[in-house]
Amino acid sequence: MMQVFITAGEASGDVLGARLMAALKKQAEGAIAFHGVGGPLMQAEGLESLFPMEDLSVMGVAEILPRLNLILKRIKQASDNIVKISPDIVVTIDAPDFSFRVVKQVRQRCRPETAPQMIHYVAPTVWAWRPERAAKVARLYDGIMCLFPFEPPYFEREGMKAAFVGHPMLESGYATADGATFRRAQDIPATASTFGVLFGSRGGELKRMGPVFVAVMKRLVAHDPDVRFIVPTLPHLEARVRALTTDLPCVITTDPAQKWNAFAAMDGALATSGTVGLELAVAGVPHVIGYKMNRLTFEIVKRKVSVKYVHLANLLLDAPVVPEFIQNDCTIERLSAAARGLTDGAAKQKQAFDKVRLLLTGAKKMPPAEQAASFVLSLT
């Protein structure tokens, strides 16, 4: 019976972990047992979590400091458990601050010949900044599973086994999304043009981008009085989003189960730069992105970042298919002009997004979880 210790530190990792566990059980024909840390989805696949995953779901210095002792305790608890169980494989999913410290402690306590195979899932963004981190990862792990095709070489140069296993977004339900049903449920006329507005997932992003995006929305209404805005957001931001958009024709949804249907109902979109940009590309929605940050932060980031584009679709295609308006370029005038121009550029973007989906498929052209499981088992 193969023993696998697997950890996730947040909801997105729980999704990846559950899919990976299901694929491992299938490929190992059930001869596998799981230990580790995970959320409800991983527990549904048979994991008895060592402690609540929520203990690790914190971000930012202000949030971490009050819970530092607990987090350090959880790191030691996980490494103690790995040493005690002596599994064949350890898979850590994202959450580098937790994952890397656990693996480092295990390395220090195990003889090289008896240490489990250590694998990390979701590569740190060494391609965007601090490429020297690849060497650190290679010292800790035997293998790494990457979500983007341009990532493996950074780790292979450090003598590490690396595989592009495909992006899990391709398993998220975009292909079966139903925009027409969403429109009917929200009383959006079939003839009305629709425009998505994504304010961001953090309060600071909403504070910075909200007034700019609302001004753009008002210009779009002036240009097309029949336009309807579709605004997916998160529950903790809903009240603020409603207050910002109170005078605009908006459909606001916080239901994650409706996200892809909402995307499918959009003719175009305006988004705060982030993961949602890639989601819109996968969904085939023509869009524009913008972003503003604190000026000092921007100056620091600008000096560290080593990529030509911000949007992941543009990085994958090595071309500015999606218009990007960052910092000083993120103005009402420029965003409004680009948003109104999406109709003319829609066909070009949609054609490019077909290629993006293909580029995210993975080397073996199988579902990402299946490719990830195959890589894990190849190291045993």
Side-chain angles (χ1 to χ4, degrees):
M1 177 77 71
M2 182 181 297
Q3 304 291 321
V4 175
F5 192 97
I6 183 168
T7 69
E10 55 192 2
S12 60
D14 189 37
V15 173
L16 286 180
R19 291 174 180 166
L20 175 59
M21 289 170 67
L24 284 169
K25 285 189 288 187
K26 176 183 173 184
Q27 293 185 21
E29 298 181 345
I32 191 166
F34 295 103
H35 315 268
V37 181
L41 298 178
M42 291 169 67
Q43 290 172 41
E45 289 294 338
L47 178 72
E48 185 175 336
S49 190
L50 188 60
F51 52 79
M53 184 186 73
E54 291 73 23
D55 287 357
L56 308 176
S57 301
V58 292
M59 290 182 62
V61 174
E63 291 79 11
I64 288 174
L65 284 178
R67 303 180 68 186
L68 184 59
N69 287 337
L70 175 61
I71 293 170
L72 292 175
K73 176 184 175 182
R74 294 314 194 194
I75 289 169
K76 185 176 187 303
Q77 190 174 355
S79 61
D80 285 349
N81 204 246
I82 293 170
V83 172
K84 178 183 176 182
I85 294 169
S86 188
D88 301 290
I89 300 167
V90 172
V91 179
T92 58
I93 302 172
D94 210 359
D97 290 337
F98 171 77
S99 299
F100 295 178
R101 284 170 173 80
V102 169
V103 169
K104 183 178 181 180
Q105 287 191 14
V106 173
R107 288 285 188 205
Q108 290 170 344
R109 297 170 62 184
C110 290
R111 297 193 309 274
E113 62 271 19
T114 61
Q117 289 289 300
M118 309 281 199
I119 303 169
H120 190 60
Y121 196 0
V122 184
T125 54
V126 296
W127 43 270
W129 67 291
R130 289 178 57 201
E132 69 276 6
R133 288 179 295 163
K136 174 186 175 181
V137 176
R139 287 193 296 270
L140 291 173
Y141 288 92
D142 301 294
I144 190 163
M145 298 184 286
C146 303
L147 306 190
F148 297 105
F150 48 73
E151 292 180 316
Y154 288 91
F155 301 95
E156 290 169 338
R157 283 198 291 266
E158 303 298 335
M160 188 180 188
K161 292 179 181 177
F164 165 47
V165 297
H167 202 287
M169 200 176 289
L170 297 183
E171 295 181 283
S172 297
Y174 78 92
T176 57
D178 188 343
T181 297
F182 183 88
R183 279 176 173 252
R184 286 194 297 271
Q186 299 296 337
D187 293 324
I188 299 173
T191 56
S193 59
T194 55
F195 205 84
V197 181
L198 297 305
F199 286 101
S201 59
R202 299 183 177 92
E205 291 173 340
L206 181 59
K207 181 179 179 180
R208 289 187 298 270
M209 302 306 301
V212 178
F213 279 13
V214 166
V216 174
M217 293 165 77
K218 289 179 178 177
R219 292 195 178 194
L220 291 175
V221 170
H223 180 72
D224 178 8
D226 295 325
V227 69
R228 295 292 183 272
F229 296 109
I230 298 173
V231 186
T233 190
L234 297 171
H236 71 280
L237 297 176
E238 181 181 6
R240 292 173 60 186
V241 169
R242 288 192 182 279
L244 271 173
T245 60
T246 185
D247 297 325
L248 290 162
C250 292
V251 168
I252 297 172
T253 175
T254 60
D255 183 356
Q258 290 299 314
K259 179 174 70 174
W260 292 105
N261 289 338
F263 288 167
M266 298 173 186
D267 297 319
L270 172 65
T272 296
S273 178
T275 303
V276 73
L278 189 61
E279 289 177 333
L280 289 167
V282 167
V285 182
H287 60 283
V288 173
I289 64 166
Y291 203 84
K292 281 180 176 286
M293 64 185 77
N294 174 278
R295 193 170 80 174
L296 178 59
T297 303
F298 177 72
E299 291 301 323
I300 293 170
V301 169
K302 186 172 68 173
R303 286 167 172 75
K304 289 187 174 183
V305 170
S306 56
V307 291
K308 287 192 292 185
Y309 306 111
V310 171
H311 198 301
L312 282 163
N314 291 344
L315 282 168
L316 285 162
L317 297 165
D318 195 25
V321 172
V322 178
E324 302 178 353
F325 299 94
I326 309 300
Q327 205 63 8
N328 294 335
D329 291 332
C330 188
T331 65
I332 296 166
E333 291 74 18
R334 290 181 178 182
L335 288 170
S336 299
R340 288 198 303 270
L342 279 178
T343 302
D344 295 333
K348 181 180 178 182
Q349 278 202 21
K350 287 184 176 183
Q351 186 177 22
F353 295 157
D354 289 340
K355 187 174 181 181
V356 167
R357 286 190 291 272
L358 187 62
L359 289 170
L360 292 175
T361 300
K364 294 187 177 180
K365 310 299 182 188
M366 297 189 300
E370 295 283 345
Q371 296 189 60
S374 178
F375 178 78
V376 169
L377 294 176
S378 74
L379 294 189
T380 59

